[in-house]
Amino acid sequence: MLMFTMMAPACVARLGAWLFMLFICLTLHAGMLQFAAATIQGYTGGADMTCPSVCRCDEDFIYCNDRGLSSIPSLPPSASVLYLQNNHINNPGLPTSLERHLAVRVVYLYDNELDEFPMHLPPSVRELHLQDNNIRTIPRSALARMPLLEKLHLDDNSISTVSIEDQAFADNPRLRLLFLSRNHLSSIPSGLPASLEELRLDDNRISTIPTHAFRGLASLRCLVLDGNLLANQRIADDTFSRLANLTELSLVRNSLQTPPVNLPSAHLQRLSLQDNALTHMPRGSLDGMHRLQRLDLSGNNLTTLPRGLFKDLDNLGQLLVRGNPWHCGCNLRWLYDWLHARGNSITVRGLTCHGPDRVRDMALIDLTSEMEECEVVRTAGTRDRVGIGVESSTTNTPPQGSLFTLRSKRPGLGFPDSGLDYTLSSSGVGKSLALNVKPLSHNSVRVTWSVAQPSSSFRLSWLRLGTGNAMGSITETLVRGDRREYLLTSLQPRSSYIICMVPLPASSENKGMISGDADSDEALVCAKAETSDVSPLEEEEDEGSQQMAALPLAGIIGGASAIVSLALIFGVFCWYGHRTGHLCSRDHYTRSSSRKNKNYDDYIESGTKKDNTILEIRGPGFQMTPMATCQPMQPKPLREDYIIHTIFPSNGTGLYKGANHVSNAGHGTNRGYREGGIPDIDYCYT
């Protein structure tokens, strides 16, 4: 009993331990059963939320593009990016349940058949692609359902300016990117959000940009207006000046003749002006653009660039200028030096010369020998002579009051003092001109010039100074605006010339030669040149050229004299022959001999129409033989003399006349026939 009492507590303790272990095992088993049941329920209950059978899913990316769908299938709730492009989805194919998918951030619905802005998109959308549809309107109510929208692509639709509802973007304060390319816009949409950073309106019908078009868009960094109808006259002066943070501006394929004024310069990095109608770049149009990295001027009508245009382009790395008719004269000497100074830090494309002919199709950077002939005029007025052995004169601008007017046949022409040197100065139209003169020989001077802006024409005048700076005669000419050099010839050796030029405004183009009244604001640019003395070799060449030039004139005069002499001799010979009767005898002999071979009609020879009704021949006939030329004329008996008359009797008179009817045997006439209008016949001695 005592022993049983002592063993009872130990058994109880052991039994409690076994019971505790059994409880733990049962608890674990129940947990495992519950986990398995939950897992099975999850698989069976989530069978309806799997990836659609017509799509492909990669976690939360749903790929339903290019499936030929006409509506959007049921999507899993975890979907965040929907690829629905290139289908046939229309507006009825957008289910209302789509707006309950609050995890969707990006929706691609481009290249479908939407004709209205979709209304049931999730409010969580941040990026929406609707390009290449047929959407016509942008309602404010549809955009208000997406307050988190940041990027909206509406390219290639049918949206017009009037179809954008007023304040359509007022409920999208986070919108940073708006693409409206290739639509039917005629003006800049109004009510754009202030948060906008990139705006693309290329290939529309925008022709006018008013002052308030970009008001409030201080955050705008990229503006693309390519392929519109923009011209300088329809762009307000301060349109772009409001875009202080703009870094990229593209105005490609418009109708601009010059860059728009007041371009934003503080942060601009890319400026595209290609394929316009640019004819010149005004000085100062690129001032302040210290951050500009890429400048594209391709496909325009630029022939030159003004000095100092690139003075602030310290970071320019790409200069694209192909497709322009560049005139590579001294007008681009500054650009040649600027490019050499920049070295490999800048990439230039298309700076190929179109003229003059001697440098056509050559790159400006390769014209070393041609550019050495030019003188660079510094902006401070000092000159830097680059050419070696070139004697020309371009000097500082004369101080005010150093000009005086010459008294000449053209009272409006002004010439500076002959004792000074002359160079760059302003013209009446606000353009700059640099003039160079270079004597080529004792009687010729080459004149070259460069201008900051193209001009319609130039007035070129030169004055020969007499002894002691006495004034000689003034010669003027009008030079076309596209020329940059002129050769003065037929000058006097060992003479000093003042050569002046001034660009004329477009209004003077139709005035012909220079009128007498010069504009008061025209500033002449002059240079002084001296022709050299005639060298013995040049003198011999001049004499030879003069002799060669005189040969054709001498030949003409000699030939004319010979022809006149021959004509006189022939006239004298004919007169003498007629005087002596030889010509008549020869003519008689010719006619007699020719009758042997030809049956001549005497009536036709005498110019009278033959009438057989009055022809009557009496007598046996006769024969005529020519008399020898050397035989002296001897008087014959009267019975052997004959007189031949034309046989055109009047009033049926007989044809035969005897010897006693002849009044003068040696000099008989037929005066009796004059009554009938018949002329006397020529007679000869036989």
Side-chain angles (χ1 to χ4, degrees):
M1 184 69 179
L2 179 61
M3 185 176 178
F4 178 78
T5 304
M6 293 177 61
M7 293 179 60
C11 292
V12 171
R14 184 176 295 177
L15 180 61
W18 283 106
L19 291 174
F20 179 74
M21 292 294 294
L22 180 61
F23 176 77
I24 291 176
C25 290
L26 292 175
T27 303
L28 291 176
H29 183 68
M32 292 178 64
L33 292 176
Q34 185 178 3
F35 177 76
T39 304
I40 294 173
Q41 183 180 3
Y43 277 107
T44 59
D48 295 335
M49 303 305 294
T50 58
C51 181
S53 60
V54 295
C55 303
R56 181 177 63 88
C57 300
D58 186 3
E59 295 182 354
D60 56 346
F61 290 76
I62 312 301
Y63 296 94
C64 298
N65 55 295
D66 300 281
R67 298 295 199 275
L69 302 176
S70 59
S71 62
I72 299 177
S74 298
L75 302 174
S78 61
S80 63
V81 181
L82 305 180
Y83 293 94
L84 300 168
Q85 71 271 15
N86 298 325
N87 284 291
H88 303 288
I89 301 173
N90 50 23
N91 289 90
L94 300 175
T96 57
S97 60
L98 189 62
E99 58 187 3
R100 293 194 295 269
H101 291 75
L102 302 181
V104 175
R105 296 179 290 105
V106 182
V107 177
Y108 291 94
L109 271 170
Y110 62 85
D111 197 9
N112 277 282
E113 298 179 1
L114 301 173
D115 52 9
E116 295 179 1
F117 200 95
M119 295 292 295
H120 302 291
L121 294 177
S124 58
V125 172
R126 289 173 170 81
E127 184 175 347
L128 179 59
H129 293 261
L130 295 173
Q131 59 266 37
D132 204 6
N133 281 277
N134 194 29
I135 299 174
R136 296 182 177 88
T137 60
I138 303 179
R140 180 177 179 178
S141 58
L143 289 173
R145 296 172 179 266
M146 298 175 288
L148 303 180
L149 188 62
E150 298 179 357
K151 298 179 180 180
L152 178 58
H153 296 259
L154 285 168
D155 314 74
D156 297 286
N157 280 280
S158 302
I159 301 170
S160 61
T161 304
V162 296
S163 65
I164 301 176
E165 188 177 346
D166 191 24
Q167 301 297 320
F169 306 96
D171 299 319
N172 305 98
R174 296 188 179 185
L175 189 62
R176 297 185 293 105
L177 184 147
L178 177 60
F179 284 8
L180 285 168
S181 305
R182 294 174 293 280
N183 279 278
H184 305 321
L185 301 176
S186 58
S187 61
I188 307 296
S190 60
L192 297 176
S195 58
L196 205 60
E197 296 180 1
E198 184 173 356
L199 178 61
R200 292 182 178 268
L201 301 172
D202 48 303
D203 293 298
N204 280 278
R205 303 171 184 174
I206 301 173
S207 60
T208 304
I209 304 181
T211 303
H212 56 79
F214 303 114
R215 182 176 298 169
L217 301 181
S219 300
L220 192 64
R221 297 183 180 275
C222 178
L223 177 60
V224 179
L225 292 168
D226 300 350
N228 281 281
L229 306 175
L230 297 175
N232 294 90
Q233 298 81 0
R234 295 188 290 269
I235 300 177
D237 291 345
D238 56 348
T239 296
F240 300 104
S241 61
R242 302 173 182 270
L243 307 176
N245 294 315
L246 197 67
T247 59
E248 181 177 353
L249 177 60
S250 183
L251 294 168
V252 181
R253 291 182 285 111
N254 282 279
S255 301
L256 302 175
Q257 296 181 349
T258 60
V261 297
N262 300 326
L263 291 177
S265 57
H267 300 90
L268 196 62
Q269 298 178 6
R270 299 168 66 91
L271 179 59
S272 301
L273 297 171
Q274 64 265 34
D275 296 325
N276 277 273
L278 300 180
T279 56
H280 69 282
M281 297 284 292
R283 187 190 304 273
S285 57
L286 303 179
D287 286 356
M289 298 185 184
H290 296 280
R291 299 186 181 183
L292 191 66
Q293 300 175 3
R294 186 178 186 273
L295 176 62
D296 196 340
L297 299 174
S298 305
N300 287 284
N301 295 322
L302 296 171
T303 58
T304 185
L305 296 174
R307 179 185 301 275
L309 181 66
F310 299 158
K311 64 178 182 179
D312 293 336
L313 306 186
D314 305 325
N315 294 315
L316 188 64
Q318 284 185 303
L319 178 61
L320 309 177
V321 293
R322 61 170 54 91
N324 286 280
W326 297 110
H327 185 88
C328 299
C330 294
N331 54 312
L332 291 180
R333 173 58 196 268
W334 71 271
L335 182 58
Y336 171 85
D337 293 336
W338 186 82
L339 293 175
H340 274 279
R342 293 296 303 271
N344 296 328
S345 63
I346 185 172
T347 301
V348 182
R349 294 287 184 270
L351 193 53
T352 304
C353 301
H354 188 265
D357 293 337
R358 59 192 180 97
V359 296
R360 184 184 294 271
D361 298 330
M362 295 177 62
L364 177 67
I365 199 69
D366 298 332
L367 303 183
T368 304
S369 59
E370 287 79 7
M371 290 302 168
E372 286 181 353
E373 300 178 0
C374 303
E375 286 186 334
V376 180
V377 181
R378 303 298 183 184
T379 56
T382 59
R383 63 178 181 177
D384 180 16
R385 187 176 301 276
V386 181
I388 301 176
V390 178
E391 183 179 357
S392 61
S393 59
T394 55
T395 58
N396 300 335
T397 305
Q400 185 177 2
S402 64
L403 304 181
F404 66 94
T405 302
L406 292 177
R407 295 182 179 179
S408 63
K409 296 181 180 180
R410 307 184 189 274
L413 180 64
F415 269 93
D417 190 358
S418 60
L420 299 175
D421 292 329
Y422 311 93
T423 183
L424 211 64
S425 67
S426 300
S427 70
V429 292
K431 301 174 183 178
S432 300
L433 183 146
L435 183 67
N436 273 321
V437 295
K438 177 185 176 182
L440 298 179
S441 64
H442 67 280
N443 61 353
S444 62
V445 173
R446 180 188 178 192
V447 182
T448 59
W449 61 91
S450 60
V451 291
Q453 297 178 359
S455 180
S456 61
S457 58
F458 300 94
R459 177 197 297 178
L460 179 62
S461 308
W462 59 98
L463 168 69
R464 177 173 175 262
L465 300 178
T467 306
N469 289 342
M471 297 305 167
S473 59
I474 300 172
T475 307
E476 300 174 357
T477 187
L478 201 63
V479 185
R480 296 197 313 268
D482 57 347
R483 296 189 59 178
R484 292 297 180 270
E485 60 181 24
Y486 194 88
L487 184 63
L488 301 181
T489 58
S490 302
L491 302 179
Q492 296 294 328
R494 292 181 299 176
S495 300
S496 298
Y497 285 88
I498 293 180
I499 303 170
C500 295
M501 174 171 283
V502 62
L504 299 179
S507 59
S508 302
E509 189 172 355
N510 298 325
K511 292 182 180 180
M513 289 300 293
I514 303 96
S515 60
D517 297 329
D519 295 337
S520 58
D521 57 349
E522 288 183 352
L524 290 173
V525 180
C526 299
K528 184 178 179 181
E530 294 185 0
T531 56
S532 61
D533 195 2
V534 182
S535 62
L537 181 59
E538 292 177 345
E539 188 173 1
E540 292 178 359
E541 292 179 353
D542 290 344
E543 292 178 356
S545 62
Q546 292 177 359
Q547 292 176 359
M548 293 298 294
L551 286 178
L553 182 60
I556 293 173
I557 296 175
S561 301
I563 292 173
V564 172
S565 300
L566 291 175
L568 290 175
I569 294 173
F570 182 74
V572 171
F573 175 76
C574 291
W575 175 83
Y576 179 77
H578 181 72
R579 181 78 174 178
T580 58
H582 291 290
L583 289 180
C584 190
S585 301
R586 182 179 302 173
D587 181 65
H588 181 73
Y589 171 75
T590 304
R591 292 190 181 184
S592 301
S593 61
S594 63
R595 283 191 175 92
K596 298 177 182 179
N597 299 324
K598 295 183 180 180
N599 186 17
Y600 275 89
D601 194 337
D602 295 332
Y603 303 98
I604 297 177
E605 281 188 352
S606 60
T608 306
K609 185 176 180 180
K610 181 177 180 181
D611 188 1
N612 295 326
T613 59
I614 62 172
L615 180 60
E616 181 181 2
I617 302 178
R618 297 179 180 178
F622 57 89
Q623 182 179 4
M624 297 172 55
T625 57
M627 182 178 61
T629 55
C630 297
Q631 182 180 356
M633 297 177 59
Q634 299 293 335
K636 297 267 185 182
L638 186 59
R639 62 178 181 272
E640 295 181 3
D641 290 345
Y642 295 90
I643 296 177
I644 301 174
H645 296 277
T646 52
I647 53 176
F648 304 115
S650 59
N651 300 323
T653 311
L655 298 176
Y656 177 76
K657 293 185 181 294
N660 53 354
H661 291 105
V662 180
S663 59
N664 190 345
H667 301 85
T669 61
N670 58 349
R671 298 181 184 271
Y673 299 128
R674 290 183 181 177
E675 301 296 334
I678 307 296
D680 295 345
I681 192 169
D682 294 333
Y683 57 89
C684 295
Y685 300 106
T686 59

